[in-house]
Amino acid sequence: MSEIAPRLFSLRAAAFRLIDAVLPPRCLACGTTVETPGTLCVGCWSALDWLAPPLCAACGLPFEFEQGPDALCGGCLAERPAYGRARAALRYDDASKAMLLRFKHADRTEAAPSFAAWMGRAGAELLAEADWLAPVPLHRRRLFERRYNQAALLAHALGRGKPVIADLLLRKRYTPSQGRRSRAERQKNVAGAFAVAPRHRAALAGKKVLLIDDVMTTGATLEACAKTLLRGGAAAVDALTMARVVRR
């Protein structure tokens, strides 16, 4: 699986380059014509809410005012996440939602390199310290339905020079959609859903793993994955996503 994913990604990228040679490139968000493939028009770019410091040192929640490099938000003060740090490039809102849903469900996989570039800037420190990159896995039933794992595409686009272990985590059971569930319901939904792939267990010991996903909502899925990796012997786990929901 880990060898097939980059090949499929390369084939998709080649296909879209061929299309771009015939058809004009389109904005990743609204579809209007742009000069360069994999970019946004001026209006869509300015509408996006880019996340930057000051942030919660753990979950990456943006603060309105600087509170110090190690400041934590109320949620992380009450219960520190299993992952060490989480960072995201964008706020998940009306401006970013459509773009991400097209990438996730509508075969707009040509967006992966641009998304990865934005994520790379937001999580530069996490990437520099990681030994392995690992996407949040899909259950084989959902992978069959969708035909690709959007988190794996992002991980391979990000992992230039870093090992991407696409099958490090396995999704042992099919979980219903996390949409419209509370944080507690989401935690219950993914509890015990993940496992470290047997062929990677020995090599995982002492590794710093960076989890990759498209959107962080409550963090329940990333939390479940991080706990699984830490129990499996990982030294530390961080998380990097394209976007995150911001709740005040």
Side-chain angles (χ1 to χ4, degrees):
M1 184 66 183
S2 59
E3 296 177 357
I4 294 173
R7 292 175 187 170
L8 291 176
F9 178 77
S10 298
L11 288 172
R12 285 176 180 273
F16 279 108
R17 283 195 297 270
L18 179 61
I19 292 172
D20 289 335
V22 180
L23 301 175
R26 301 287 181 178
C27 170
L28 293 175
C30 71
T32 192
T33 302
V34 292
E35 291 186 3
T36 307
T39 58
L40 297 165
C41 68
V42 174
C44 289
W45 178 272
S46 60
L48 294 175
D49 189 351
W50 302 91
L51 300 181
L55 305 168
C56 170
C59 75
L61 181 77
F63 291 143
E64 292 186 15
F65 307 101
E66 179 61 56
Q67 301 185 41
D70 299 319
L72 299 178
C73 67
C76 291
L77 281 171
E79 183 180 358
R80 190 72 184 251
Y83 54 78
R85 298 162 295 177
R87 297 292 181 267
L90 291 168
R91 180 195 295 258
Y92 188 69
D93 56 15
D94 290 341
S96 61
K97 182 177 181 180
M99 176 175 65
L100 282 159
L101 288 178
R102 289 191 190 99
F103 171 63
K104 188 171 183 175
H105 298 293
D107 287 336
R108 293 297 303 271
T109 56
E110 78 276 16
S114 296
F115 288 178
W118 303 340
M119 292 167 67
R121 288 193 288 271
E125 184 178 357
L126 280 59
L127 278 164
E129 297 177 11
D131 296 314
W132 286 355
L133 273 62
V136 171
L138 293 177
H139 187 270
R140 59 182 179 275
R141 173 178 160 187
R142 184 155 286 140
L143 183 60
F144 177 79
E145 294 168 351
R146 195 174 296 169
R147 292 174 288 118
Y148 61 93
N149 179 359
Q150 73 282 354
L153 295 183
L154 292 173
H156 283 293
L158 269 165
R160 306 304 183 187
K162 292 279 185 177
V164 177
I165 315 300
D167 60 346
L168 177 60
L169 284 170
L170 305 176
R171 203 149 190 154
K172 298 190 298 182
R173 60 180 178 82
Y174 184 83
T175 54
S177 171
Q178 293 278 65
R180 299 183 179 180
R181 294 176 184 266
S182 68
R183 176 174 173 80
E185 290 171 338
R186 286 168 179 261
Q187 289 174 328
K188 183 178 180 181
N189 190 39
V190 295
F194 302 100
V196 176
R199 73 192 193 99
H200 295 303
R201 284 175 187 162
L204 176 61
K207 292 291 192 300
K208 294 180 179 179
V209 180
L210 181 58
L211 285 168
I212 305 297
D213 207 358
D214 57 338
V215 178
M216 174 181 172
T217 306
T218 66
T221 299
L222 294 172
E223 179 90 359
C225 289
K227 288 179 177 178
T228 300
L229 290 168
L230 291 169
R231 285 196 298 267
V237 179
D238 291 322
L240 180 58
T241 63
M242 172 60 180
R244 65 158 293 157
V245 172
V246 176
R247 292 189 175 95
R248 298 298 179 187

